[in-house]
Amino acid sequence: QLAIISQAPQKTAEAIAKDIGTHPYPVKKLQPLARRLSQAQVTKIVHELTQLDDQLKSSAGDPWVLIERTLHAIAAHIA
């Protein structure tokens, strides 16, 4: 959702929600963050989450450790 919202800065939360088939509430909550982030930062966040998804599906590691590492990496990208 963050990636889509960041690509539609002129659209209302309601219009974006309708386009992606979700409720406007999370879109409204993400819009301020999307406005603050550069496209490079959004790309890095999506990359981190994609890696997490792959790791959760293929790793025998502790899921919470993987999630915590990913959150730290995302925080570093937006700081």
Side-chain angles (χ1 to χ4, degrees):
Q1 289 178 350
L2 179 63
I4 292 168
I5 294 165
S6 70
Q7 294 297 310
Q10 298 84 10
K11 285 190 171 187
T12 65
E14 290 75 16
I16 295 169
K18 184 178 178 186
D19 289 346
I20 63 175
T22 192
H23 194 274
Y25 179 79
V27 176
K28 286 179 187 177
K29 291 297 185 180
L30 282 172
Q31 280 180 320
L33 177 62
R35 289 185 189 111
R36 272 192 357 191
L37 298 174
S38 69
Q39 188 57 43
Q41 289 172 309
V42 172
T43 300
K44 288 178 183 177
I45 291 169
V46 170
H47 177 73
E48 292 291 342
L49 292 172
T50 301
Q51 283 185 316
L52 172 62
D53 185 52
D54 289 343
Q55 291 170 348
L56 289 172
K57 290 177 181 174
S58 64
S59 176
D62 183 358
W64 288 112
V65 171
L66 297 172
I67 292 168
E68 185 177 358
R69 285 182 190 160
T70 301
L71 291 174
H72 284 286
I74 290 171
H77 291 307
I78 62 174

